Every structure is written in structure tokens, then in C-alpha cells.
Amino acid sequence: MLPTRPEFVPDASQSRAEMESMQFDVADAATWEDDFPFDAEAVGLADWAPDDAPLVAGVDQAFLDESAVSVVVVMRGGRVIERASAVVDLEIPYVPGLLSFREGNPILAAFEEVEVTPDLVVFDGSGRIHFRQAGLATHLGVVLDVPSVGVAKSLLCGTPRESVDGRPAGWQTDIIADGRVENAASEEVIGHAYQSRQYANEPIVNPLYVSPGHRVSVPTATDLVARLCGDYKLPEPTRTADKYADEVKSSVRG
DNA sequence: GCGACAG
DNA sequence: ATCTTGTCGC
């Protein structure tokens, strides 16, 4: 699979201060400009995607008592090319801001089973929208040195430029760094709220919170996610990974 | 002390 | 994230 950068591999036995310190280093090592070899416009969900279309991986997790089920689903256009999974013991509880230290190693274990090299990885969680701009998508993007984006269903920190309530599909607004983002200039744009979907006469759908993981800019992150959203709120690689994680989970518990 | 907090 | 059936509505 992808080579990893050992100095940034999350270590759940570290102290909280060490974890936070590593996150500053991860943010420094991350690139938030477009740096990928494929054409963003070649990313999509077409069934007829050509053989040279970008490989997009979706990553998701499900949980058992003391272990995590991590899965990676690789798609080319709308087709699943490969699926991989791992079941790994959890070492630490969920702590807001330290998610990559809880879920990072389980996810890396799943990546070890992947045979192809994804061109882009979509994570279920934040990238730059994080207290130290080193959310799950950024941290693992840097460890794997792969272009990545973070897609979160709720906002960890930062402030939307405009109210996000009840917006139509396709709408987006900046997420601006606030005082909680320790290593960002004020007013810096660290991500977008993106309304991927809205259904008529149905309960209001909340927007997605999209942010760069690694090697992708804020506008491109949202553009890529938009290209990956089909008829549902979440990008298709994420939905596919979510289903697969549930399958693996049920098969594991008997 | 109070509030806020991805999955 | 997870515990969980039916049920309302397009």
C-alpha cells in the first residue's frame, strides 16, 4: 500500500500535550494548495468512467465494545474497485480534537490491506477545520502523503460566514478560523459549509462541513466533494464505506 | 466558573 | 459513533 511517514503516525500512548504538539507539526507538514496529478473534473460517479479515471477512496468506521472496524472502499467513478477492512483494539476514548489518535491506527491497518493506490481519500471528519488544523483527514493525509479531504456532518470549530440554515442544494459559504483555531490567522478560510442536498417538503437537511486534508485547497476540496455527491447528502465513497463498515461489523459480532 | 466540542 | 420499530410521506 502507500508508504507512511513514521514521524507522524499517531501514537495513542502519548500524553495529550504530545498529541497536540504533533498536531502542530502535522499542520506544518500539510499542503493546502492543489498538488495532485489528476484532473479534478475527471472525478465523478459515472458508471462508464474510463480506466484512467482517478481512484477515490472512502474511509469510515463502525465500533464494537473495545474495537474499531475500519474500512476503505476504493471507487473509480461510480464503481467499487476494491474494499479492505481491519478490526483493531481501541486504545483511547473519543476526545474532541484528538480523533486521529483514536481512529488513526485502525484506519492505517485497513489501508495496509489495500492493493491499489488511491488518488484521493475522503475521510469522515474534519481536515483543516480543527483546533490545530490537523483533523483526521489532514493527519492521515500527511501520514500517507495522499491528497485528502475531510467531510464532517457537524462543525467542530470555526464560524460560517453566513447562516447555514435552510439553504438550497449547491449553496456554500466559507468557514472562517475563530479564536479556537490556535494556529490560523484570524479571518483565514479553513473550509466550507456545503449544502449537498435538500429535499422538497422534507425536514431541513444540514450542510456538510468540507475542509482540505492534504494537497488540496479549500475551493477544490468542496468542488471534489460536490462531484462525489449523488442523490444523497454524503459523498458516494463515504456512503459505500459506511455500508461496508456495518456489514463487517455484523459479521464480526457473530 | 461557563461554554463548546469531528466520530 | 451507538442503543433501536415502527411509521409518516414522497
Side-chain angles (χ1 to χ4, degrees):
Chain A
M1 74 144 210
L2 295 158
T4 60
R5 302 186 61 175
E7 68 270 39
F8 295 125
V9 170
D11 176 1
S13 72
Q14 291 178 110
S15 67
R16 181 178 181 129
E18 288 171 323
M19 292 178 182
E20 294 180 352
S21 169
M22 176 182 275
Q23 290 180 325
F24 285 113
D25 295 339
V26 165
D28 287 341
T31 298
W32 295 316
E33 293 170 4
D34 292 333
D35 178 19
F36 49 83
F38 59 89
D39 217 337
E41 293 169 5
V43 170
L45 299 172
D47 291 336
W48 39 264
D51 288 348
D52 62 348
L55 296 177
V56 180
V59 175
D60 194 30
Q61 313 226 119
F63 297 91
L64 271 8
D65 308 280
E66 297 277 280
S67 55
V69 176
S70 299
V71 309
V72 178
V73 173
V74 183
M75 303 181 69
R76 172 183 283 128
R79 292 302 181 197
V80 174
I81 297 305
E82 188 182 352
R83 304 190 299 181
S85 66
V87 181
V88 175
D89 290 337
L90 289 165
E91 302 178 65
I92 56 171
Y94 166 69
V95 177
L98 299 179
L99 188 62
S100 63
F101 290 87
R102 171 175 166 84
E103 305 190 352
N105 286 314
I107 289 170
L108 291 173
F111 266 105
E112 285 178 22
E113 306 300 318
V114 178
E115 295 184 357
V116 299
T117 300
D119 295 295
L120 173 72
V121 181
V122 180
F123 288 96
D124 64 318
S126 292
R128 280 187 75 181
I129 298 179
H130 178 272
F131 308 126
R132 290 161 292 280
Q133 297 188 84
L136 183 72
T138 298
H139 196 153
L140 293 182
V142 166
V143 168
L144 297 168
D145 196 21
V146 68
S148 64
V149 299
V151 177
K153 295 180 289 297
S154 59
L155 188 60
L156 177 61
C157 58
T159 308
R161 189 178 294 284
E162 311 169 66
S163 165
V164 303
D165 298 328
R167 300 298 190 168
W171 177 90
Q172 67 180 65
T173 195
D174 295 340
I175 300 299
I176 303 163
D178 59 21
R180 295 174 291 174
V181 184
E182 305 173 49
N183 56 353
S186 63
E187 291 300 294
E188 187 157 2
V189 177
I190 56 176
H192 283 153
Y194 171 62
Q195 190 73 50
S196 57
R197 195 75 192 175
Q198 202 61 270
Y199 308 92
N201 301 329
E202 299 285 319
I204 298 296
V205 176
N206 296 318
L208 259 23
Y209 295 93
V210 179
S211 57
H214 182 43
R215 296 184 177 244
V216 176
S217 66
V218 168
T220 300
T222 301
D223 176 58
L224 291 169
V225 168
R227 292 174 183 283
L228 292 167
C229 288
D231 296 330
Y232 302 90
K233 169 178 175 174
L234 292 172
E236 212 56 34
T238 303
R239 294 188 67 240
T240 311
D242 187 71
K243 290 179 196 167
Y244 184 47
D246 283 340
E247 282 179 39
V248 175
K249 177 182 174 178
S250 356
S251 73
V252 165
R253 63 178 157 189

